Amino acid sequence: MVPMSEADLDLLDDYVFEPTAWDLAFSIGIGVDPDTDPPVLDELADAMLMWAPEPTLERLTAPALELLWNDELAGMIRGGLERLSGQEGWERAAAAALVAFDQAPRESEVAREMIRCLAMQVGGADEPGFFCLDCLDDGLVRADPAERRALARRAVVVARRNAAVPDDELRAALAEVAVRSPLEALGTPERRAAVRARLGRLGELGRSSMPTLAHELRALAAEPLPERAEDDDVWEEVCTLLLAGFARPDLN
């Protein structure tokens, strides 16, 4: 680390915060409806997780906005902009966004960014603290090629919910662990295929943004599904996470 120069310090002194449409949408603070929003936002959420390029985000944002748009959402956005327009440092940007919003609410930049904020919440719910797909991609770049597949399997942490294993089955699997492998008890072909399908979608969306991780995820998704759950190393990762999360929810 080196001290900043006087010129750098002068630039900081001259810096004036100008909120973007993303800043405005994020600060309005609308939350996801867990009962209705995730299915609509799933693919866009994965694009956000994989830092997909703008054309991909735009392609997925437009239909999600159409499906989620209603008078309630419009009112919440407008009310948030009115609130921000009265806060120091936000007045000009919020007022300009409010004018644009009133002219064409659904087509406004802040409405589009709000949909992405909601998608980020959906994706963030799958990504535990201190876990980062971009960091995993960076690690894969430096890893020995022979080790990349095993390292890429760590990404299954974001696909746990796709297995859709109910709590009563997890409870039963833990109770019967001495007589039957949880891998076998829980690992139906449908669940294992759903996990790999999610990994494949992440891999498709991350082709340009996280190319090394995306390549490995697509390869995992394209593999023939092992006949036995006990031979499925991807499912082993998922099952371990599910059981650990159920037994120790504080670690989720």
Side-chain angles (χ1 to χ4, degrees), residues 45-66:
D46 280 354
M48 301 285 287
L49 282 174
M50 296 299 289
W51 295 10
E54 179 60 30
T56 301
L57 293 178
E58 186 59 35
R59 172 176 64 82
L60 297 173
T61 300
L65 191 153
E66 289 299 315

Side-chain angles (χ1 to χ4, degrees), residues 205-229:
L205 292 168
R207 281 180 178 271
S208 61
S209 52
M210 302 183 195
T212 307
L213 174 59
H215 173 79
E216 296 297 331
L217 295 181
R218 293 196 305 275
L220 288 172
E223 290 175 350
L225 192 68
E227 185 175 341
R228 297 183 343 129

Side-chain angles (χ1 to χ4, degrees), residues 5 34 50 54 84 95 115 122-123 130 149 155 158 166 175 182 184 197 214:
S5 68
M50 296 299 289
E54 179 60 30
L84 290 173
I115 298 302
V122 173
F130 306 108
R149 184 185 183 282
V158 303
E184 176 191 0

Side-chain angles (χ1 to χ4, degrees), residues 71-231:
D71 290 343
E72 181 183 17
L73 178 58
M76 293 172 73
I77 294 174
R78 193 181 196 289
L81 289 174
E82 289 178 335
R83 172 175 53 81
L84 290 173
S85 66
Q87 293 187 13
E88 184 178 357
W90 296 80
E91 305 98 320
R92 185 167 63 179
L98 188 57
V99 170
F101 183 80
D102 283 342
Q103 291 174 346
R106 192 180 309 196
E107 290 76 29
S108 67
E109 188 177 4
V110 72
R112 185 172 68 250
E113 295 291 29
M114 180 58 70
I115 298 302
R116 295 183 185 182
C117 281
L118 294 172
M120 186 179 69
Q121 292 178 43
V122 173
D126 286 339
E127 195 173 44
F130 306 108
F131 180 82
C132 166
L133 287 169
D134 185 52
C135 300
L136 184 56
D137 178 67
D138 188 54
L140 283 164
V141 171
R142 299 193 303 270
D144 186 291
E147 300 172 351
R148 286 177 179 170
R149 184 185 183 282
L151 189 59
R153 288 204 314 266
R154 297 181 185 177
V156 303
V157 69
V158 303
R160 292 169 296 174
R161 69 174 169 85
N162 297 90
V165 181
D167 286 352
D168 59 342
E169 288 193 41
L170 291 171
R171 186 179 297 108
L174 285 171
E176 299 171 1
V177 69
V179 295
R180 187 185 184 195
S181 165
L183 295 175
E184 176 191 0
L186 302 172
T188 67
E190 294 78 15
R191 288 170 178 168
R192 295 188 287 125
V195 168
R196 287 177 185 255
R198 175 81 184 281
L199 297 181
R201 185 172 71 186
L202 289 166
E204 288 296 329
L205 292 168
R207 281 180 178 271
S208 61
S209 52
M210 302 183 195
T212 307
L213 174 59
H215 173 79
E216 296 297 331
L217 295 181
R218 293 196 305 275
L220 288 172
E223 290 175 350
L225 192 68
E227 185 175 341
R228 297 183 343 129
E230 296 93 323
D231 300 328

Side-chain angles (χ1 to χ4, degrees), residues 125 127-129 157 160 240-252:
E127 195 173 44
V157 69
R160 292 169 296 174
T240 299
L241 290 165
L242 289 172
L243 292 171
F246 181 77
R248 290 288 307 277
D250 56 303
L251 298 180
N252 282 345

Side-chain angles (χ1 to χ4, degrees), residues 7-20 23 89:
D8 290 333
L9 292 172
D10 288 341
L11 285 174
L12 286 178
D13 288 339
D14 294 338
Y15 174 73
V16 177
F17 174 57
E18 288 291 345
T20 64
D23 295 325

